[in-house]
């Protein structure tokens, strides 16, 4: 009787796909069977990718997309629940995860390059937080958004931070207190996303938007993005004082000199990203 050859088990697919499209880095969440939940490994890989993008001068913008029917269902509740058997009932692990996720979300804000979300399906809890943390967001007309933690006895407190910095308070509180999903059109109305596009075109639309921003001076975009988020936390007077300092610094940049000169001379500027 012939001996049947033993097939080598194939390695599991990567949970985060990375692709470069021109000058845009595309990160694709690839845990479709788990609704792209943000496991410890996923959070770590996303954070590491943002750090790498920050250092890569070839990359001028980033897009976060996802495979499968869901963009992201938020934290991996099975992973969290498994730690209930720890001596401390999981407290240390829960704290580690929430802090790691918060640091990853802040890495998007601190990244000196724009980040665009391409949302093809439902984005809930920390998945909604991920969308809100991005600088720009394109969503399929089939997408929806929710912070449903209240339904399972776990208020979406960390998603609340990003959500409340994107949409008006009453709308944020309605999402947080009811847990009910809102369609893409409503998400656009309240400012959670920028545009709604036909289903299946959101990834290309997000890349096109990222490429449009990538044509600008990288130095100017970096300066402006940092200033936007910093001034948003200041009083009116402090924000104007800080913004005036940023404008003055910006005026001294080579790219501002080149850009203004090109505008006056009616020609296309040549950026030096400095």
């Amino acid at each position: 009787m012939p001996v049947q050859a033993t097939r080598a088990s194939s390695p599991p697919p990567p949970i985060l796909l990375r692709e470069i499209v021109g000058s845009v880095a595309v990160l694709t969440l690839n845990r479709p069977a788990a609704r792209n939940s943000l496991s410890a490994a996923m959070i770590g890989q996303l954070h590491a990718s943002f750090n790498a993008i920050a250092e890569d001068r070839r990359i001028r913008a980033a897009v976060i997309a996802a495979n499968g029917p869901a963009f992201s269902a938020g934290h991996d509740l099975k992973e969290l629940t498994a730690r209930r058997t720890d001596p401390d009932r999981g407290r240390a692990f829960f704290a580690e995860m929430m802090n790691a996720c918060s640091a990853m979300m802040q890495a998007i804000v601190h990244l000196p390059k724009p980040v665009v979300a391409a949302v093809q399906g439902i984005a809930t809890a920390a998945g909604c937080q991920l969308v809100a943390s991005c600088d720009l967001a394109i969503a399929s007309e089939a997408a929806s958004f929710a912070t449903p933690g209240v339904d399972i006895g776990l208020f979406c407190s960390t998603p609340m931070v990003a959500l409340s910095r994107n949409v008006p308070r009453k709308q944020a509180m309605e999402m947080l207190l009811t847990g009910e999903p809102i369609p893409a059109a409503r998400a656009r109305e309240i400012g959670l996303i920028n545009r709604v596009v036909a289903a299946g075109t959101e990834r290309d639309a997000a890349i096109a938007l990222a490429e449009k921003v990538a044509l600008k001076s990288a130095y100017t975009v970096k300066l402006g993005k940092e200033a936007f988020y910093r001034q948003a936390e200041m009083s009116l007077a402090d924000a104007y004082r800080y913004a005036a300092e940023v404008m003055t610094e910006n005026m001294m940049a080579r790219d501002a000199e080149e850009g203004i000169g090109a505008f006056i001379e009616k020609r296309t500027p040549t950026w030096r990203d400095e």
Side-chain angles (χ1 to χ4, degrees):
M1 185 174 182
V3 178
Q4 191 173 23
T6 303
R7 291 185 179 179
S9 58
S10 57
I15 62 174
L16 183 67
L17 305 178
R18 301 170 178 85
E19 180 185 2
I20 305 298
V21 180
S23 60
V24 178
V26 182
L27 304 177
T28 303
L29 309 182
N30 192 40
R31 298 185 73 208
R35 297 172 64 81
N36 294 313
S37 56
L38 300 179
S39 62
M42 180 72 84
I43 290 169
Q45 289 197 26
L46 279 168
H47 201 158
S49 295
F50 297 141
N51 290 340
I53 289 169
E55 299 299 323
D56 193 335
R57 291 178 62 87
R58 299 169 301 168
I59 298 174
R60 303 173 73 89
V63 167
I64 302 176
N67 284 332
F71 177 77
S72 176
H75 285 291
D76 189 328
L77 297 180
K78 290 182 179 179
E79 182 180 59
L80 293 174
T81 299
R83 303 302 290 265
R84 292 282 189 191
T85 58
D86 291 356
D88 64 353
R89 297 184 57 242
R91 176 180 287 275
F93 181 72
F94 301 157
E96 178 185 346
M97 281 293 295
M98 298 308 159
N99 286 319
C101 189
S102 296
M104 181 271 287
M105 299 292 179
Q106 290 177 78
I108 298 174
V109 175
H110 297 314
L111 189 69
K113 300 165 186 181
V115 182
V116 186
V119 189
Q120 89 291 8
I122 192 164
T124 61
C128 185
Q129 179 186 4
L130 183 59
V131 176
S133 296
C134 291
D135 305 300
L136 302 166
I138 303 292
S140 157
E141 58 192 5
S144 60
F145 305 83
T147 48
V150 68
D151 293 334
I152 59 171
L154 183 68
F155 199 83
C156 284
S157 298
T158 44
M160 170 184 70
V161 176
L163 182 67
S164 64
R165 282 164 170 73
N166 277 252
V167 308
R169 290 188 178 187
K170 291 292 191 294
Q171 281 70 32
M173 284 298 287
E174 182 175 353
M175 290 182 67
L176 291 161
L177 291 172
T178 68
E180 294 178 353
I182 61 171
R186 178 58 178 160
R188 184 182 181 278
E189 286 178 1
I190 64 176
L192 180 57
I193 62 174
N194 296 88
R195 302 176 190 173
V196 180
V197 297
T201 68
E202 62 284 336
R203 184 179 184 275
D204 289 342
I207 292 173
L209 181 56
E211 287 176 331
K212 184 177 293 188
V213 181
L215 294 174
K216 317 301 181 185
S217 158
Y219 173 81
T220 303
V221 170
K222 172 185 176 181
L223 201 69
K225 177 175 172 175
E226 180 183 6
F228 177 86
Y229 290 112
R230 285 189 62 184
Q231 65 81 29
E233 305 301 322
M234 298 178 181
S235 68
L236 184 65
D238 287 344
Y240 269 116
R241 190 177 301 110
Y242 167 66
E245 293 172 359
V246 173
M247 285 287 285
T248 301
E249 186 69 23
N250 199 167
M251 278 295 293
M252 300 305 296
R254 294 289 186 183
D255 278 357
E257 184 177 359
E258 164 66 10
I260 293 170
F263 177 79
I264 293 172
E265 297 163 16
K266 295 180 172 58
R267 60 176 175 81
T268 302
T270 301
W271 304 126
R272 291 170 54 179
D273 296 330
E274 58 185 37

